[in-house]
Amino acid sequence: MIGAGRTKQYANVLDKPLSKGRQEVSLSAFSFLFSEIVQYNQTQVDNIAELERRLEDAGYAVGARVLELLCHREKGNRRETRLLGILSFVHSTVWKVLFGKVADSLEKGTEHEDEYMISENELLVNRFISVPKDMGAFNCGAFVAGIVKGVLDGAGFPAVVTAHFVPMEQQQRPRTTILIKFAEEVLRREAKLG
Amino acid sequence: MAAAINCLFIINKSGGLIFYKDCGSAGRMDTNDSLRLASLWHSMHAISQQLSPVNGCSGIQLLQADTFDLHCFQSLTGTKFFVVSEPGAQHMEPLLKVIYELYTDYVLKNPFYEMEMPIRCELFDINLSQAIQRDRVALLGR
């Protein structure tokens, strides 16, 4: 058929569907923006715990929105209701959309039943960041921890989420572990669901 | 086997030394000497721009002496990178560009770095050592 395969012509520009556009942003642009976020927050606080909390808050807002968006876009408006479901949603779907890859690992804590860990050898936000020695164990991954907390809270799995550096034997650089500690009610509900 | 480059300096736009690294086995320099050399180079570079017979000269890029070569690269913001190498060492410009790239990545994108201040970034050190090591390996291959 003549003209088959040609894109449909729209008389009115407003009838045209929105293009999906590029799904990626420049890593440099993001890194500079993130660097400024950290620098700005640093001027607003007088201790490191406070800085960590502010970064987490910034991430929380991202997480809440990402959950909404991805449930709609990827899961046909269905929300995960089970613990492992939501964890793998964070580990794969959320990570892929935000960082372009699945997280390096998702493990269950060995000491506590309510702890789960998502680990990343080279967390995207930490790619260019060297934390000075005098800041101790501070990790800018607090922002990502905030995102995870935002997603989990929004989905009805309240948890305390923190980011830590974990030294690795074979590597020069420590990796970042996002530690998720679920609230008691979540585990009780999960047990009831069987 | 001596390395192609002996040392690397980075000086900020007002001539202060913000980074210094010794790579070769040739005599080490103490902190005062390196600071002095950095500001000396900064002034010489500025004077050369004024004295140059060429219009729009950006300053000395290469200084050749009997015992060493000095290659300099100035970024758009006035930060200068220079390496002291063996006489006649090749491919120093690309190396300086690589070092500049590492600087923009691991120093400028680091929220804990204060502009124009001495560079103390772990990731920059690690990646710089790797780049110099790579350059050394490439040199052996040439």
Side-chain angles (χ1 to χ4, degrees):
Chain A
M1 202 204 297
I2 299 165
R6 252 208 352 232
T7 48
K8 202 175 158 196
Q9 295 291 317
Y10 293 93
N12 189 341
V13 71
L14 294 176
D15 295 337
K16 256 200 320 207
L18 277 176
S19 77
K20 251 192 140 184
R22 269 161 53 92
Q23 302 284 310
E24 286 175 5
V25 295
S26 147
L27 176 60
S28 280
F30 170 76
S31 303
F32 279 120
L33 177 65
F34 186 68
S35 168
E36 284 304 319
I37 292 173
V38 176
Q39 283 178 56
Y40 169 73
N41 282 309
Q42 235 180 334
T43 63
Q44 306 294 306
V45 300
D46 37 43
N47 61 54
I48 290 168
E50 182 79 354
L51 176 62
E52 219 156 41
R53 197 191 55 75
R54 286 186 72 111
L55 280 180
E56 199 184 304
D57 284 355
Y60 187 92
V62 175
R65 288 165 169 82
V66 158
L67 172 73
E68 203 82 64
L69 181 69
L70 294 185
C71 280
H72 177 61
R73 205 186 261 166
E74 316 263 333
K75 309 206 70 100
N77 281 330
R78 286 160 56 88
R79 185 166 57 77
E80 294 290 344
T81 50
R82 300 302 301 266
L83 194 75
L84 286 180
I86 192 75
L87 278 171
S88 80
F89 173 75
V90 171
H91 165 262
S92 42
T93 315
V94 172
W95 232 256
K96 226 177 194 157
V97 167
L98 293 178
F99 307 122
K101 64 186 275 291
V102 173
D104 288 332
S105 79
L106 167 64
E107 296 156 85
K108 191 171 177 10
T110 43
E111 285 161 33
H112 303 277
E113 274 294 296
D114 55 350
E115 285 183 354
Y116 289 83
M117 296 172 291
I118 294 177
S119 298
E120 185 73 41
N121 288 333
E122 173 92 81
L123 195 63
L124 188 99
V125 300
N126 280 338
R127 170 85 59 93
F128 300 118
I129 296 180
S130 327
V131 180
K133 295 244 172 355
D134 59 331
M135 294 191 76
F138 173 75
N139 189 333
C140 288
F143 178 71
V144 179
I147 295 179
V148 173
K149 187 177 162 64
V151 171
L152 293 177
D153 261 10
F157 292 83
V160 176
V161 187
T162 45
H164 306 274
F165 279 123
V166 178
M168 298 295 286
E169 267 173 32
Q170 312 90 350
Q171 291 162 357
Q172 203 168 7
R173 297 271 301 160
R175 73 173 181 177
T176 298
T177 294
I178 310 282
L179 183 69
I180 304 165
K181 193 174 174 65
F182 285 105
E184 253 177 71
E185 64 198 78
V186 175
L187 291 168
R188 242 181 291 141
R189 184 182 65 205
E190 190 64 21
K192 228 181 272 171
L193 287 170
Chain B
M1 170 73 209
I5 77 166
N6 288 326
C7 43
L8 161 74
F9 294 77
I10 302 178
I11 52 184
N12 64 16
K13 56 173 176 266
S14 34
L17 181 69
I18 53 173
F19 187 83
Y20 171 70
K21 184 181 167 73
D22 247 321
C23 319
S25 42
R28 297 185 63 85
M29 220 185 292
D30 70 28
T31 320
N32 279 332
D33 282 344
S34 56
L35 282 168
R36 203 173 300 128
L37 204 131
S39 38
L40 191 67
W41 179 256
H42 179 73
S43 328
M44 266 177 65
H45 195 270
I47 293 169
S48 74
Q49 279 177 24
Q50 302 292 317
L51 290 182
S52 166
V54 186
N55 256 345
C57 171
S58 62
I60 313 179
Q61 289 176 342
L62 170 61
L63 176 91
Q64 289 182 301
D66 287 343
T67 51
F68 67 90
D69 279 4
L70 196 155
H71 295 259
C72 178
F73 168 75
Q74 179 171 228
S75 75
L76 287 172
T77 49
T79 308
K80 281 188 273 294
F81 300 76
F82 61 99
V83 290
V84 176
S85 69
E86 291 169 359
Q90 300 288 304
H91 306 282
M92 285 297 121
E93 284 80 49
L95 179 67
L96 281 168
K97 292 271 165 60
V98 169
I99 294 170
Y100 176 44
E101 222 174 287
L102 293 176
Y103 167 78
T104 52
D105 273 350
Y106 296 103
V107 178
L108 296 185
K109 289 174 191 165
N110 184 359
F112 305 109
Y113 173 68
E114 251 176 275
M115 286 300 280
E116 315 294 337
M117 296 304 278
I119 298 169
R120 281 194 209 88
C121 303
E122 195 193 347
L123 279 171
F124 179 67
D125 291 341
I126 293 174
N127 285 283
L128 181 65
S129 300
Q130 281 171 359
I132 292 173
Q133 192 60 38
R134 266 201 306 278
D135 184 69
R136 212 167 281 182
V137 172
L139 181 86
L140 287 174
R142 280 199 282 268

